Amino acid sequence: MKTWVSSLALAAALSSAAYAADIPLRDFFRNPEQSNFTLSPDGKSVAFLAPWEARRNIVVRMPGQPDRRVTEVKDRDLSGYFWKGNQRLVYSKDNGGDENFHLYAVDLVSGKSRDLTPFPGVRAEIVDELTERDDELLVGLNKRKPEVFDVYRVNLKTGKLTLEAKNPGNVTSWSTDHNGRIRIATTTDGVNSTLLYRDQPGGAFRKLMTTSFRDSFNPLFFTFDNQRFYAASNLGRDKSAIVEFDPKTGKEVKQIYHRDDVDVDGLGFSRKRKVITCARFETDKPGRQCLDEKSEALLARLEARLPGYQVDIQSANRAENRFIVAAWNDRTQGKRYLYDEAGDKLELLAEITPWLKESEMATMRPVQYRSRDGLTINGYLTLPKGKEDAKGLPVIINPHGGPWARDSWRFNPEVQFFANRGWAVLQMNFRGSTGYGRDFWQASFKQWGGTMQDDVSDGVDWLVKQGVADPKRVCIYGGSYGGYATLAGITKTPDLYRCAVDYVGVSNLFTFMNTIPPYWKPMLDMMHEMVGDPVKDKAMMRERSPVFQVDRIKTPLLVLQGAKDPRVNIDESNQIVKALQKRGVEVEYMVKDNEGHGFRNEENRFDAYGAMERFFRQHLN
């Protein structure tokens, strides 16, 4: 469903012939014909997602057989799925974007699917896929109480659920050893986290440490004797490092890998060879440091075969001699290959979006600028193809969501779409963006609409001083927190932007806090520390809630919202739209009844980006 508060006045006046050189909008946002490839445990079969009835469903390719679609989901795209044995797949799906995900198992022999978690209004979260146990997995369910997740062992043959661990009410995460037994639990009092550990499966938990939410200690996986574990930790340091921790002594045994410039937050391992493989981090591009000679040699061999691309191993069989390999960069989603190590054979499986030519896409260039108070802000500037040296360009400022997340160097279809239409795009990792260490993250606390917003404005100022941006043709667009930054931008700096697009963004910090999903409520005290306390910080939160500053808005605005959004309730968009309507400010509003926090269904993406294109053409060209 589409609900428009006002029409897009210019739409009828725009002739498609005038933009004949443009790549069709649908080519950027349509579902790939084949994507998300995975290997079966025996390495003989490949599964992938392919469209059916305009929705991404699972298809299986078995030796000597034609490709066979094994799901028939018509209401939502499937995104997450995994193998459980060679004859079963498990996938997740919510209802219209409500994020109450159910788990389903599909039997490849019978072709039948089973809802493993058939509980209305209950959310399922994978605790452990139990990769080496074909008939079981561990899942967290909040069916007893919306705020808390108990752990159940699911029998995939019978569908039986057996309680594995009852949540006392304050556990926010569980971790298992290599035998699939829960050994670690993390609890919270809303601000501080306590790490609980038990020496033996089924034994009593004991406290290992208590840390403030300002500290980060994230258990990754156990050592292969199940006696110690690896963690990403910033305890005693600014940048997170990979460490080995001994629960017997309660101390860090050694530092496995660290960097001075960015956090190191990931570590891989080989189940077969029982060794750690590569540590993962991100500078201006994704990076890794291999700690295992075999892994390093394998990746070096693949990179030599696929020059000019980021090369990642996305799936492997249990024998670890057959792999799904991804080759991609900032100008293409790239290709996927099946690599057979024994024969050193690289077989093309698919090009993800062959209709988008890499040579016609724009380059995503890492950039840096200084904030007004001296912080280094990293970001990415994408200039339209053929206009890399042009000056005075129309620009879209695109702050990311989260906000405790980051923009990354990758193929981004919406950025490429905007660039193809002749608009430069600036994405910035403002203070609070993750990966740059504790101090940079903490600098965002209680700065929604404050210095976080100044970082965005300073990016505009930098682009103008560089001569890249025409200061009279700058618009701002963002989703989620980026939507909030959009609204904050046109209230705090009303003369900076020619137009604005708010996509599922927060408009009122008070109502936002009151409508968060129930399973976020254990973290509410932390949110008060990081965003603001509705009582102690009432004046500040009111000042930084765009809905209370609508008298300052004069920028034309387009608002996009999913009716079932559990994170940013539809009332956030309704409030700002009604307040602007009352003042007679130009505002356009699109609501999709079958969407949540962002538009996942293909036809809704087409509508949303079509509306954005007409809106930006009206105000930027």
Side-chain angles (χ1 to χ4, degrees), residues 403-424:
W404 303 293
R406 62 162 290 165
D407 271 317
S408 299
W409 184 87
R410 63 183 179 90
F411 180 84
N412 185 319
E414 67 178 20
V415 169
Q416 292 292 341
F417 170 63
F418 295 149
N420 179 256
R421 294 322 192 240
W423 310 317

Side-chain angles (χ1 to χ4, degrees), residues 105-336:
V106 55
D107 186 285
L108 302 187
V109 176
S110 68
K112 294 181 179 179
S113 289
R114 177 204 294 266
D115 186 348
L116 299 170
T117 57
F119 311 111
V122 171
R123 176 183 171 98
E125 297 182 345
I126 296 291
V127 174
D128 191 336
E129 293 180 13
L130 300 180
T131 303
E132 297 176 346
R133 298 186 185 188
D134 294 346
D135 298 326
E136 292 182 333
L137 59 80
L138 294 180
V139 60
L141 296 173
N142 60 343
K143 69 189 186 80
R144 182 172 56 88
K145 192 176 181 182
E147 295 85 357
V148 263
F149 289 80
D150 301 315
V151 183
Y152 293 83
R153 189 171 293 266
V154 184
N155 185 305
L156 299 177
K157 283 184 175 179
T158 65
K160 182 181 179 182
L161 294 171
T162 304
L163 184 64
E164 185 83 5
K166 186 176 180 180
N167 194 329
N170 59 351
V171 174
T172 56
S173 68
W174 309 85
S175 300
T176 59
D177 63 19
H178 291 287
N179 293 326
R181 300 295 181 180
I182 294 173
R183 301 279 300 280
I184 297 172
T186 303
T187 68
T188 182
D189 62 8
V191 177
N192 300 307
S193 292
T194 296
L195 199 68
L196 304 177
Y197 176 82
R198 54 185 178 190
D199 297 284
Q200 300 296 331
F205 280 103
R206 59 185 175 86
K207 185 170 76 172
L208 280 184
M209 67 172 77
T210 296
T211 58
S212 160
F213 74 94
R214 296 169 183 266
D215 297 314
S216 174
F217 186 85
N218 179 29
L220 300 174
F221 55 87
F222 275 77
T223 55
F224 299 99
D225 60 4
N226 288 326
Q227 298 303 305
R228 297 176 177 177
F229 58 85
Y230 301 101
S233 169
N234 71 358
L235 301 183
R237 45 176 78 85
D238 179 57
K239 307 292 191 298
S240 286
I242 302 299
V243 302
E244 183 178 323
F245 189 87
D246 185 354
K248 287 185 173 63
T249 63
K251 293 181 180 178
E252 180 183 310
V253 176
K254 58 182 174 181
Q255 185 170 266
I256 303 297
Y257 183 69
H258 81 287
R259 295 178 65 91
D260 294 330
D261 53 349
V262 292
D263 294 331
V264 184
D265 56 10
L267 184 66
F269 68 95
S270 163
R271 292 184 186 276
K272 180 188 175 185
R273 295 182 294 115
K274 298 190 180 342
V275 296
I276 55 175
T277 52
C278 304
R280 296 185 301 275
F281 55 89
E282 191 168 4
T283 53
D284 56 351
K285 296 180 181 180
R288 61 184 164 230
Q289 176 64 48
C290 289
L291 310 168
D292 161 58
E293 289 184 4
K294 183 174 175 62
S295 300
E296 186 172 19
L298 171 62
L299 287 163
R301 192 157 61 244
L302 291 169
E303 288 170 345
R305 297 274 290 274
L306 301 164
Y309 297 94
Q310 178 79 17
V311 174
D312 297 312
I313 292 175
Q314 296 186 324
S315 178
N317 62 342
R318 278 185 186 159
E320 296 182 9
N321 58 12
R322 304 194 90 200
F323 307 92
I324 301 293
V325 177
W328 59 276
N329 60 30
D330 59 329
R331 289 165 291 119
T332 178
Q333 291 195 54
K335 299 177 180 179
R336 304 297 179 264

Side-chain angles (χ1 to χ4, degrees), residues 394-407:
V395 174
I396 295 173
I397 301 299
N398 184 207
H400 63 72
W404 303 293
R406 62 162 290 165
D407 271 317

